[in-house]
Amino acid sequence: MAFLPIKPLDSADGYLRWKESVLLRLHTVGVAHVLSDDPPAPAGDDGVPGAAAAAKKWERDDAVCRGHILAALSDRILPDYARHATGRALWRAVARTYDVEASFGLYPRSYDRFLYFQFDEGAPLPEQLAHAEALAATKDPPLSDFSMAHNMCIRLPEKVALIISNGDMTMDRVWRAVLRNEERRIEREDRELRGTVAREAQEPEGKAAHRRRRQGHL
């Protein structure tokens, strides 16, 4: 079976991409369950059908899982984690070191960043909204759709927030308002560009060329 290459983890930079890539591989080979499920009870003398086979399969899956994780670590950090005997212990040890989004306070760090998030009215809003929504979604327990929408509304530019507040407070309505605002921004920029081109076309060639040279030196 051919796998997509995974860049070995060597620092906190790129940890999220590394984590998701490794999880995809573990799911592909059918061993990701050992990271969350408890192992089966040891086979005893009670003669439970399949107990011994289940325990053997778990040991095999755990060894494969651990091997894939170790193989995705750089040579520099591999010796620090090879001592962990199970896939789950190894996975948690790596996360403890490099998962900078882990919660160290009342909220996860991402949600802390959302609490101080502000939209930049001069930049496209859809990408900012997607980022803000991702930060807010890290809260545990999660925000309701109403609370999420309300939190976005009080942070969005006033002209967008007013549109949202005149109806149901939902994230779907927030997105519709933001996308409509983006359409208007693009239309406005297109009109301004067409106006500039039209003005240049009406100018004498010498004057237009002189103005472009001046702009090029600014």
Side-chain angles (χ1 to χ4, degrees):
M1 180 182 295
F3 295 109
L4 294 174
I6 297 176
K7 182 180 179 180
L9 181 68
D10 190 62
S11 67
D13 292 338
Y15 170 76
L16 178 59
R17 183 177 296 277
W18 176 90
K19 172 186 173 182
E20 295 301 324
S21 297
V22 172
L23 281 175
L24 174 60
R25 179 170 296 184
L26 296 179
H27 280 290
T28 300
V29 298
V31 299
H33 67 95
V34 303
L35 298 180
S36 56
D37 297 344
D38 292 327
D45 299 329
D46 51 6
V48 177
K56 185 175 182 179
K57 181 181 184 302
W58 179 275
E59 290 178 2
R60 181 264 179 197
D61 288 354
D62 187 56
V64 172
C65 177
R66 177 177 176 273
H68 276 290
I69 298 172
L70 288 174
L73 301 179
S74 71
D75 292 341
R76 184 183 70 85
I77 68 173
L78 176 63
D80 297 336
Y81 297 96
R83 63 187 178 86
H84 296 284
T86 67
R88 184 188 297 188
L90 172 60
W91 187 252
R92 289 179 174 178
V94 175
R96 185 170 58 235
T97 305
Y98 297 111
D99 191 355
V100 297
E101 297 302 323
S103 177
F104 291 95
L106 181 61
Y107 299 119
R109 289 182 178 179
S110 290
Y111 188 71
D112 278 338
R113 291 203 296 272
F114 172 70
L115 295 177
Y116 296 97
F117 184 88
Q118 292 184 331
F119 285 90
D120 179 1
E121 189 170 358
L125 293 179
E127 185 174 296
Q128 297 181 68
L129 177 58
H131 181 58
E133 192 173 12
L135 295 177
T138 61
K139 186 178 183 299
D140 186 19
L143 294 171
S144 67
D145 187 68
F146 174 86
S147 296
M148 178 84 78
H150 175 72
N151 275 276
M152 297 302 173
C153 190
I154 63 178
R155 289 169 170 79
L156 282 163
E158 184 178 1
K159 61 182 180 181
V160 181
L162 285 174
I163 299 174
I164 302 168
S165 62
N166 289 330
D168 295 335
M169 189 67 66
T170 66
M171 280 305 299
D172 184 61
R173 185 175 180 83
V174 170
W175 271 106
R176 289 202 304 270
V178 166
L179 292 174
R180 181 55 184 152
N181 180 79
E182 181 66 6
E183 290 175 359
R184 290 172 176 169
R185 184 187 69 82
I186 294 173
E187 291 170 355
R188 184 171 60 252
E189 289 183 353
D190 287 345
R191 286 196 301 269
E192 292 173 355
L193 179 59
R194 288 195 297 269
T196 300
V197 172
R199 286 193 298 273
E200 289 182 354
Q202 295 172 0
E203 290 180 349
E205 180 58 30
K207 182 177 180 181
H210 176 69
R211 179 176 51 76
R212 286 194 294 269
R213 285 196 297 271
R214 287 190 61 192
Q215 291 175 340
H217 289 293
L218 293 180

